[in-house]
Amino acid sequence: MTIPAQFDAKTIEDKWYDYWMKNNYFHSEPDHRTPYTIVIPPPNVTGVLHMGHMLNNTIQDVLIRRARLKGFNACWVPGTDHASIATEAKVVAKLKAEGINKNDLTREEFLAHAWDWTEKYGGVILEQLKKLGASCDWERTKFTMDPDMSASVIHSFVDLYNKGLIYRGYRMVNWDPEAKTTLSDEEVIYEEQQGKLYFLKYKIEGSEDFLTIATTRPETIFGDSAICINPNDERFAHLKGKSAIVPINGRVIPIIEDEYVDIEFGTGCLKVTPAHDMNDKALGEKHNLEIIDIFNEDATMNSFGLHYQGKDRFVVREEIAKELETTGALAKTEAYLNKVGTSERTKAVIEPRLSDQWFLKMEDLVKPAIKAVLEDGEVKLHPKRFENTYAHWLNNIRDWNISRQLWWGQQIPAYFYGEGKEDFVVAENIEDALALAKDKTGNFSLLTSDLRQDVDALDTWFSSWLWPMSVFGGITDPENEDFKYYYPTNDLVTGPDILFFWVARMIIAGYEYTGKKPFTNVYLTGLVRDKQRRKMSKSLGNSPDPLDLIEKFGADGVRVGLLLSASAGNDIMFDEELCNQGKGFTNKIWNAFKLIKGWEVSETIPQPESSKVAIEWYEAKLQQTLLEIEDNFEKYRISEALMGTYKLVWDDFCSWFLEMIKPAYQQPIDSKTFAKAIEMLENNLKVLHPFMPFLTEEIWQILAERTPEEALIVSAWPELKPFNATLISDFENAAEVISGIRTIRKDKNIPFKDTIELKAINNDSASTYFDSVVTKLGNITALEYVSEKVDGALSFRVKSNEYFIPITGNINVEEEIAKLTTELAYTKGFLKSVESKLANEKFVAGAPEKVLANEKQKQADALAKITTIEQSLAGLK
């Protein structure tokens, strides 16, 4: 067949992905082989591909394709996450745009809209991953709201409740007023924000005295239940047992005493607002204070806010400050840098709020997960430094608030049969709940219609923490064949930003439900940033569309470009030029393939010695690289593994090996060498395939007619064999000799077609094994070893060996002497200026170490150059 001049990435990518899918290469079923399993970090169901996904899934595909080649039963399970907060927010916004208020809908009506949204926009990202070449087992695709997946979540909740690990409590929680739901502590991001400290004057009841209190939130005075002073603070001893009057609303509140108050902070006394501050709530419980909730669920003021009712908290803050100033109740304001909790998802400022919520006790659950990572090393984090982050989170863990005031998600399986806070049962379905309710109440006339299911949904992470087990049905049916075969999985590739949210919780769940780790290795990628080290975002306009990159550079080019810069855990400074470099590598391989296929092959001519030697060297070099690649993969240095492969193919194969075996112009190549060249190319394709699947499959299929069973994707990784390391080091010496010859040819304008002689003094007793290669690549008529310097010759050195190229008619000796004399004079002058600088004590004492080292290197280089020029001159005279 005619091989196209250019590699047409788009046509080839579609062709081979369709071929792989048609032949079901990605699908896995349990069999006699050792399994290798990866579960995808499920992206948001309505999300689209971004650069972080590209990096993460390229790494996973490299690992899974390599495992397939190494004979493992490779299974990569894809799927998506229902992302309750994000998806519900999008559906609410869509309904709002259509003039529909969520609160006017029943739960069932709203969920119908949510499912419509999911079916319309869901799964796009998985289709986009196919463009990247992701070889997932698409038949196993899971969605966290699939019936079987939801059943696993509900089963887990009931199980943990029955074990006494889930409880319902009235607690101060993190409230997101934009999403209108609670958040776990880990979903709150604390940011420093410039605010104000307001000094408010509270009048002492029955006197004209005032007490000044500093607060960052003057709008919360409507929820004040007391003023607290430290009993040891003599400044306020006269106020003990008295009351104060809250500005604006005029409510009388007690002045209480507690050593909790820091005498040194602010004015030394504080206002207590139990409904809106964690510490104030503790004080309120201790002193039996009234709890006054002043906010609606969207953080607007309720009726306790008087004339501010219905206004947003931040609007009220500005307006109330003016009113307090007008009434003389604002003593002063000061600028104040404050740490403010914000929602990881919506970025809204979190409001502490008292609410009935469901919690999971973590103190005992977390212990096996701490042991597995930090003590036994059963689960390994790559890079290891993330163990410190992991330890910090797990050693300071608090009970997990698992309920969310949302409808999109798994509905909490708690059923209320009365008005009391304890009047509920927990069951997997309403029929089981009814039976439990009858037993608990003794009322056997209860009907399912008498039961009300908790309206809240479970935290999305409460479904995804089961992911490695639930995708194989391991929660509801732990004895099934798939689960017993594929679990524990092998590797997890994800970002360090969800090390606690997801990774740690999966480890916790794995040990709780199976007594086993969910995976052995966690590869933590860095963040993809732009050249200016900025995080990629739509608002900055610095995040390229991954599909546009694939269109421009080809999927293989983009994969290589991303991985060349992606060492584990380190942020990636992404530059499109890296993808261009990947595309250049694609073209290099394609052109090498075309070169080989373009040779005429002869069955009769003998194999040249240079080709025999070249093959022995490249086989050794391949084996050496295979060992290095193996080591890098074991250490999860994927970028280094690619770089080793890149150098093997670009430098050793294309730049050296092909040159060493290439037949003379319009001459055939011997069949023995050609067969070996094809074999070496095929080995290269196997090593390259995990990184560049499309290009390699295309070349593989053109090289020979293959059956589906012989496709590259399911071929075998090159076998590791013993190799001769001396051959490799000997060639490095020969390569320097060839480079020396080429430099002289270039400097003296000696065309390569013109043959030359080479004489050498072998002071190092260097190997002569590669002399046939030196002779070929240097176009040398005679290579002779001598014991004395050769007069009338150009010379160069490799280590202690000296090499001489006798002058022929191509070189004008007089002109060469004049040229070298001028160059010698210039170099000596340059050396003098450098040595003058180094002789200057003031310069040496004050110069940075790097500058000094640079000057010394200049001195050494100049001395070496002078020696070489003088030797060349001596040979010419």
Side-chain angles (χ1 to χ4, degrees):
M1 65 174 287
T2 305
I3 300 170
Q6 301 294 323
F7 176 69
D8 179 4
K10 182 160 179 30
T11 306
I12 284 164
E13 285 162 11
D14 292 343
K15 176 175 77 175
W16 291 117
Y17 205 88
D18 290 346
Y19 179 81
W20 294 329
M21 290 287 284
K22 178 185 157 194
N23 285 286
N24 220 20
Y25 295 126
F26 305 161
H27 183 57
S28 171
E29 289 289 343
D31 62 21
H32 63 281
R33 291 173 295 169
T34 303
Y36 174 84
T37 317
I38 293 179
V39 290
I40 202 171
N44 289 1
V45 64
T46 57
V48 292
L49 201 63
H50 59 59
M51 295 305 291
H53 293 132
M54 290 278 281
L55 172 65
N56 182 291
N57 287 283
T58 296
I59 292 169
Q60 289 176 81
D61 196 46
V62 167
L63 294 173
I64 211 82
R65 285 180 182 273
R66 182 169 178 270
R68 213 176 269 125
L69 287 168
K70 288 180 81 72
F72 292 97
N73 188 353
C75 180
W76 181 14
V77 181
T80 50
D81 186 87
H82 64 277
S84 53
I85 294 177
T87 305
E88 182 149 328
K90 286 177 181 175
V91 176
V92 168
K94 171 190 170 281
L95 292 172
K96 190 176 179 182
E98 295 171 359
I100 302 169
N101 188 320
K102 175 193 169 186
N103 297 325
D104 295 335
L105 301 175
T106 64
R107 186 188 198 104
E108 289 67 30
E109 288 169 339
F110 176 80
L111 288 176
H113 284 288
W115 277 109
D116 286 346
W117 175 272
T118 300
E119 281 158 18
K120 184 176 180 181
Y121 298 103
V124 170
I125 192 165
L126 299 183
E127 289 305 309
Q128 291 176 322
L129 285 177
K130 292 176 181 178
K131 296 290 183 189
L132 183 66
S135 57
C136 302
D137 187 345
W138 300 111
E139 291 178 39
R140 292 184 177 274
T141 302
K142 289 291 183 182
F143 174 43
T144 50
M145 286 281 281
D146 285 343
D148 61 323
M149 299 293 281
S150 287
S152 295
V153 176
I154 299 305
H155 181 86
S156 171
F157 183 98
V158 174
D159 174 67
L160 293 166
Y161 177 80
N162 290 336
K163 289 174 179 173
L165 293 170
I166 286 178
Y167 64 93
R168 192 166 188 258
Y170 188 64
R171 299 282 189 276
M172 180 75 70
V173 293
N174 305 301
W175 182 261
D176 181 336
E178 189 170 316
K180 298 184 182 66
T181 183
T182 58
L183 300 177
S184 66
D185 294 330
E186 296 74 32
E187 291 169 297
V188 178
I189 309 298
Y190 287 90
E191 299 171 350
E192 284 197 338
Q193 293 184 3
Q194 188 64 53
K196 291 179 182 176
L197 203 54
Y198 300 83
F199 291 79
L200 310 183
K201 294 162 72 178
Y202 288 68
K203 192 176 179 183
I204 306 304
E205 188 187 31
S207 80
E208 294 301 311
D209 291 342
F210 286 89
L211 195 58
T212 303
I213 296 174
T215 179
T216 57
R217 305 189 66 195
E219 69 277 10
T220 61
I221 61 172
F222 299 114
D224 288 353
S225 295
I227 285 172
C228 192
I229 59 174
N230 191 308
N232 304 313
D233 193 339
E234 294 178 2
R235 293 174 297 172
F236 304 119
H238 64 291
L239 298 177
K240 292 180 180 181
K242 296 192 176 182
S243 297
I245 301 168
V246 178
I248 300 179
N249 71 2
R251 191 169 66 252
V252 177
I253 55 174
I255 296 173
I256 62 172
E257 302 168 56
D258 200 290
E259 291 186 347
Y260 166 76
V261 179
D262 184 352
I263 295 173
E264 303 298 324
F265 180 76
T267 60
C269 52
L270 56 82
K271 67 190 206 67
V272 184
T273 317
H276 299 292
D277 182 272
M278 191 75 74
N279 298 315
D280 288 10
K281 177 180 176 286
L283 276 175
E285 288 174 348
K286 186 175 177 182
H287 295 274
N288 200 26
L289 299 175
E290 184 182 2
I291 293 172
I292 307 165
D293 186 349
I294 64 170
F295 290 123
N296 296 314
E297 63 176 9
D298 61 354
T300 56
M301 304 295 284
N302 61 22
S303 59
F304 283 108
L306 304 178
H307 47 286
Y308 293 108
Q309 183 175 357
K311 290 187 175 181
D312 182 77
R313 56 189 164 159
F314 296 119
V315 172
V316 175
R317 186 173 300 175
E318 295 297 319
E319 292 182 1
I320 204 170
K322 290 174 185 174
E323 183 178 353
L324 290 165
E325 189 173 17
T326 303
T327 59
L330 180 63
K332 63 175 181 175
T333 61
E334 291 179 358
Y336 186 70
L337 194 63
N338 197 16
K339 272 203 166 181
V340 177
T342 60
S343 166
E344 183 214 20
R345 180 67 62 185
T346 67
K347 311 305 177 194
V349 172
I350 293 302
E351 194 61 55
R353 193 181 197 205
L354 283 165
S355 169
D356 282 312
Q357 301 292 336
W358 294 91
F359 295 87
L360 176 60
K361 295 177 184 176
M362 300 302 291
E363 186 180 356
D364 291 330
L365 277 177
V366 78
K367 288 174 184 174
I370 292 173
K371 191 167 181 281
V373 174
L374 304 174
E375 296 171 25
D376 297 346
E378 268 205 316
V379 178
K380 296 177 178 63
L381 305 185
H382 305 273
K384 192 176 171 63
R385 69 171 187 273
F386 282 108
E387 286 181 8
N388 294 331
T389 309
Y390 183 90
H392 172 75
W393 278 111
L394 270 62
N395 288 324
N396 295 282
I397 203 162
R398 294 164 68 179
D399 287 357
W400 179 7
N401 172 9
I402 56 174
S403 48
R404 296 290 178 270
Q405 286 59 59
L406 300 166
W407 283 351
W408 178 242
Q410 285 88 15
Q411 190 173 356
I412 291 172
Y415 298 84
F416 291 82
Y417 52 80
E419 297 305 315
K421 285 197 172 186
E422 298 301 317
D423 293 349
F424 68 84
V425 292
V426 170
E428 292 191 38
N429 54 62
I430 198 164
E431 290 77 18
D432 289 352
L434 182 62
L436 288 170
K438 285 178 179 178
D439 286 346
K440 190 172 177 181
T441 61
N443 179 1
F444 292 95
S445 63
L446 278 176
L447 303 171
T448 54
S449 56
D450 297 321
L451 302 183
R452 292 174 291 105
Q453 189 173 354
D454 193 311
V455 296
D456 289 349
L458 285 158
D459 180 7
T460 303
W461 296 112
F462 191 80
S463 64
S464 54
W465 81 319
L466 304 173
W467 185 250
M469 296 178 285
S470 59
V471 295
F472 297 115
I475 296 294
T476 54
D477 182 14
E479 293 304 310
N480 81 77
E481 186 186 5
D482 274 11
F483 186 59
K484 287 165 75 175
Y485 179 76
Y486 291 112
Y487 187 91
T489 68
N490 295 75
D491 296 329
L492 179 77
V493 182
T494 189
D497 52 328
I498 54 173
L499 177 58
F500 177 78
F501 288 127
W502 191 46
V503 179
R505 285 170 174 164
M506 282 190 288
I507 297 171
I508 292 167
Y511 281 104
E512 172 62 18
Y513 280 104
T514 70
K516 297 175 186 174
K517 59 188 175 184
F519 30 70
T520 300
N521 296 288
V522 181
Y523 180 100
L524 296 158
T525 66
L527 287 172
V528 183
R529 298 182 180 274
D530 66 13
K531 287 186 288 185
Q532 298 170 47
R533 304 189 73 85
R534 298 177 304 175
K535 190 174 178 180
M536 288 190 168
S537 70
K538 287 180 185 175
S539 58
L540 286 173
N542 63 346
S543 182
D545 183 330
L547 295 184
D548 288 347
L549 290 175
I550 290 172
E551 185 76 26
K552 188 174 178 182
F553 301 107
D556 291 328
V558 175
R559 289 166 67 115
V560 169
L562 270 171
L563 289 176
L564 281 176
S565 59
S567 53
N570 294 323
D571 286 355
I572 292 114
M573 304 306 121
F574 179 75
D575 182 352
E576 273 196 26
E577 185 50 41
L578 291 166
C579 295
N580 200 32
Q581 185 181 344
K583 184 179 180 180
F585 188 39
T586 303
N587 290 334
K588 183 78 171 177
I589 297 162
W590 185 254
N591 290 334
F593 156 64
K594 280 200 311 169
L595 175 71
I596 296 169
K597 286 296 283 181
W599 291 335
E600 181 190 340
V601 182
S602 168
E603 298 289 342
T604 57
I605 61 172
Q607 183 181 50
E609 178 64 20
S610 56
S611 295
K612 174 181 166 292
V613 169
I615 290 163
E616 287 177 12
W617 164 75
Y618 190 74
E619 285 179 328
K621 190 68 186 175
L622 172 68
Q623 288 300 324
Q624 182 191 55
T625 306
L626 285 173
L627 269 182
E628 291 167 2
I629 290 170
E630 201 71 30
D631 182 58
N632 281 320
F633 269 107
E634 281 178 12
K635 293 170 180 169
Y636 290 82
R637 294 175 179 163
I638 314 295
S639 180
E640 285 87 340
L642 171 58
M643 185 49 78
T645 308
Y646 186 100
K647 287 178 178 174
L648 173 78
V649 174
W650 189 296
D651 297 341
D652 300 320
F653 186 76
C654 296
S655 299
W656 283 113
F657 178 69
L658 292 184
E659 289 298 310
M660 289 151 77
I661 65 165
K662 187 168 68 175
Y665 181 62
Q666 291 189 335
Q667 296 299 309
I669 187 170
D670 68 279
S671 57
K672 195 172 180 182
T673 300
F674 182 77
K676 273 293 183 182
I678 296 294
E679 182 188 325
M680 295 302 105
L681 176 58
E682 288 185 339
N683 280 329
N684 289 347
L685 294 176
K686 291 174 181 179
V687 179
L688 282 164
H689 179 76
F691 304 107
M692 308 174 80
F694 296 108
L695 167 78
T696 52
E697 189 73 74
E698 171 74 0
I699 295 174
W700 178 266
Q701 297 281 355
I702 297 174
L703 281 173
E705 196 172 314
R706 318 269 187 183
T707 65
E709 293 74 30
E710 294 169 330
L712 178 58
I713 189 173
V714 287
S715 63
W717 187 259
E719 186 185 346
L720 277 172
K721 300 173 186 173
F723 65 93
N724 184 349
T726 306
L727 264 181
I728 296 169
S729 57
D730 286 349
F731 177 72
E732 286 168 6
N733 190 75
E736 284 191 59
V737 175
I738 294 162
S739 296
I741 296 166
R742 287 172 173 172
T743 300
I744 284 180
R745 279 188 178 275
K746 183 184 171 189
D747 290 349
K748 310 311 174 193
N749 294 317
I750 306 172
F752 182 75
K753 62 182 176 61
D754 293 354
T755 58
I756 56 174
E757 291 181 25
L758 181 67
K759 299 181 188 293
I761 301 176
N762 194 357
N763 294 320
D764 286 336
S765 299
S767 168
T768 59
Y769 194 70
F770 287 93
D771 282 2
S772 59
V773 172
V774 173
T775 299
K776 178 177 179 177
L777 297 186
N779 196 12
I780 292 162
T781 52
L783 170 52
E784 182 186 350
Y785 287 90
V786 295
S787 54
E788 300 290 336
K789 288 185 176 2
V790 179
D791 292 334
L794 301 168
S795 64
F796 64 92
R797 299 174 75 93
V798 174
K799 299 185 177 65
S800 298
N801 283 4
E802 296 179 73
Y803 295 88
F804 305 92
I805 298 173
I807 295 298
T808 66
N810 293 324
I811 296 175
N812 185 312
V813 176
E814 296 304 321
E815 278 183 14
E816 189 61 28
I817 289 171
K819 183 180 170 184
L820 289 172
T821 303
T822 303
E823 193 176 352
L824 180 63
Y826 170 80
T827 308
K828 282 183 174 178
F830 175 76
L831 176 62
K832 190 176 180 183
S833 70
V834 172
E835 288 180 333
S836 170
K837 202 181 279 187
L838 289 171
N840 184 330
E841 291 180 10
K842 192 174 178 183
F843 169 77
V844 172
E849 193 176 324
K850 196 173 179 182
V851 172
L852 209 56
N854 192 34
E855 291 301 318
K856 287 178 179 176
Q857 187 59 51
K858 286 180 185 176
Q859 181 187 35
D861 291 345
L863 284 167
K865 192 171 183 181
I866 287 166
T867 302
T868 303
I869 295 170
E870 285 177 341
Q871 285 177 351
S872 292
L873 279 170
L876 290 171
K877 289 176 182 176

